[in-house]
Amino acid sequence: MLMFFDTHPMHYSLTPNPLWTPDPQQPKVTADIEIDHQTLSVTFNVIESPSNFRCECTQDGEPCWQDSCVEIFLKADTGYFNFEFNSAGCCLAEHGLSRSPRRRFEADEYALILRRVLQSPQTMTDGKIHWALHVEIPHKILNLPSW
């Protein structure tokens, strides 16, 4: 079972995976996380190089890991949940005990995940592409009771 102990908003500046080769073009991402009685909410702000930016997936369930994307990994007694979102708000969501096999979400499950593009990808004065996305994942998707 997932346990949440703090319902106060949390702000994170995310760092690249230390196993990746350092890259000056690495996107910069911040995540504001809030957990309430019904949902896990995350607001992502992304700044990345135009040469790395991509957004081609247009429907849920497509391989948005190939696009510029943000991810949420959640561990549970039943395995883990993986949510990937591109800058258009398209989602790929899966649940499983390990990397393989995992069960992809169905259309009715995707419909429960609120996605709101707060800033469409734009090239700003710093020459970088900025985009922002807010997502809300209801506890019932994670098989958690509301409290």
Side-chain angles (χ1 to χ4, degrees):
M1 171 187 262
L2 290 170
M3 298 297 291
F4 300 113
F5 298 105
D6 190 349
T7 59
H8 295 70
M10 297 170 275
H11 178 80
Y12 294 95
S13 292
L14 306 179
T15 57
N17 184 325
L19 300 177
W20 295 344
T21 304
D23 179 359
Q25 298 298 316
Q26 184 73 36
K28 291 181 178 34
V29 181
T30 60
D32 292 305
I33 301 169
E34 192 166 347
I35 301 163
D36 66 19
H37 302 291
Q38 301 290 326
T39 60
L40 165 67
S41 301
V42 183
T43 300
F44 293 100
N45 288 283
V46 181
I47 301 171
E48 62 186 305
S49 167
S51 62
N52 290 345
F53 180 77
R54 175 189 150 138
C55 184
E56 295 186 11
C57 294
T58 59
Q59 296 183 17
D60 291 335
E62 292 184 338
C64 57
W65 72 83
Q66 296 174 350
D67 286 349
S68 297
C69 73
V70 292
E71 299 180 86
I72 301 170
F73 291 91
L74 301 170
K75 185 167 176 26
D77 289 343
T78 60
Y80 74 95
F81 292 88
N82 179 24
F83 298 89
E84 302 176 18
F85 301 92
N86 70 6
S87 62
C90 295
C91 179
L92 176 66
E94 298 178 316
H95 174 256
L97 292 174
S98 64
R99 215 173 155 87
S100 178
R102 288 187 290 191
R103 181 188 70 79
R104 283 202 178 170
F105 277 36
E106 301 291 333
D108 61 326
E109 294 170 300
Y110 283 117
L112 296 173
I113 303 170
L114 173 77
R115 278 113 348 130
R116 187 170 52 244
V117 175
L118 301 177
Q119 180 178 342
S120 296
Q122 299 177 33
T123 303
M124 304 303 268
T125 56
D126 62 2
K128 304 278 186 174
I129 293 180
H130 294 229
W131 57 277
L133 179 70
H134 176 81
V135 301
E136 293 181 14
I137 302 170
H139 293 191
K140 67 181 176 180
I141 284 182
L142 307 171
N143 295 319
L144 293 176
S146 297
W147 72 86

